[in-house]
Amino acid sequence: MSDARAVVISGPSGVGKSTLIDALLRTPGVRLAVSTTTREPRGGEVDGVDYHFVPRETFEAMRNNGELIEWAEVHGHLYGTPKNELGGGAADVVILDIDVQGWRSVKALGIDALGVFIAPPSVEELERRLRERSSETEQSIEIRLKGAASELAAQKEYDHVVVNDDVGQSSKELCGLVLRTPQGNGA
Ligand code: ADP
Ligand code: 5GP
């Protein structure tokens, strides 16, 4: 493990995590821990950059060989953080874009990480964003909206909550938290 600071970012699907993280990644010294997943790539997603896209058998082998720090089934697909992604290399901050189950695992493992929850201004706006992204089938949108309620209920488990209303404002707020806040207090 490196000295890089781990920052966990969670929030319901469609809230704008990737958008805000893309902005964060323009800061030198900030790196994304690339997760492994069994879901299919969306248009524009690049293997090894957005995710390591693998067949289910490969994911299960990685999990069984102890190669994942944590893993979870989210919206019917498997997602996990490979151990070798937490090593910071030259990075000062490593971002983990993981769900609430993942955040709970990170805390249970005693990993010193700051937790930031991204919340939508309203559930209606969350649905609008999910639909506007045009990346999901109707069934997948419904599964994601259903999951949003329990994700939103867990926001109090995080160190900070950023309401992603205006993207420029939220981005500034998140950058401030990620770049300046000392180690998470595990609250
Ligand atoms: P997530 O990674 O949380 O699933 P995305 O970053 O893919 O969400 O964002 C979902 C959609 O919402 C995208 O089309 C994105 O451009 C849009 N979006 C993100 N943030 C905002 C915002 N603050 N206001 C309006 N639309 C936004
Ligand atoms: P998406 O399919 O929209 O990219 O991601 C769906 C959900 O899976 C999001 O909540 C995202 O944070 C979560 N996720 C992505 N990678 C991981 C991971 O490695 N572990 C866990 N626990 N969740 C992840």
Side-chain angles (χ1 to χ4, degrees):
M1 208 148 292
S2 76
D3 291 335
R5 208 145 55 82
V7 176
V8 168
I9 297 185
S10 303
S13 182
V15 74
K17 296 182 298 299
S18 303
T19 306
L20 295 172
I21 289 170
D22 282 350
L24 270 180
L25 294 176
R26 287 188 220 121
T27 309
V30 179
R31 194 175 67 73
L32 179 71
V34 181
S35 295
T36 295
T37 183
T38 60
R39 92 152 157 72
E40 292 295 316
R42 295 181 186 130
E45 283 185 329
V46 178
D47 187 34
V49 175
D50 299 288
Y51 281 106
H52 301 288
F53 296 99
V54 298
R56 205 171 174 103
E57 309 80 68
T58 306
F59 188 101
E60 285 170 353
M62 289 177 75
R63 186 185 59 193
N64 297 342
N65 292 335
E67 293 173 37
L68 303 177
I69 295 162
E70 60 76 37
W71 69 276
E73 180 159 356
V74 191
H75 313 137
H77 304 286
L78 301 176
Y79 297 83
T81 310
K83 279 186 179 158
N84 60 14
E85 288 287 338
L86 209 58
D92 302 317
V93 177
V94 179
I95 306 287
L96 284 78
D97 172 349
I98 62 178
D99 81 328
V100 169
Q101 301 171 79
W103 169 235
R104 288 176 181 151
S105 300
V106 163
K107 286 210 294 184
L109 288 165
I111 296 171
D112 194 6
L114 182 78
V116 183
F117 189 92
I118 312 295
S122 67
V123 173
E124 291 73 25
E125 173 62 10
L126 179 68
E127 177 166 0
R128 193 196 65 73
R129 288 181 195 173
L130 258 181
R131 293 188 183 283
E132 180 196 60
R133 190 170 68 188
S134 306
S135 58
E136 313 297 321
T137 61
E138 184 58 31
Q139 190 193 18
S140 170
I141 288 176
E142 279 165 23
I143 291 171
R144 284 161 190 266
L145 286 172
K146 230 170 139 186
S150 61
E151 291 258 325
L152 288 170
Q155 59 184 280
K156 55 185 177 300
E157 298 175 30
Y158 288 74
D159 299 305
H160 300 277
V161 175
V162 172
V163 178
N164 182 21
D165 193 348
D166 174 75
V167 74
Q169 191 58 41
S170 309
S171 187
K172 242 172 141 175
E173 192 179 338
L174 184 62
C175 270
L177 291 171
V178 168
L179 302 177
R180 283 186 236 121
T181 313
Q183 296 283 50
N185 58 17

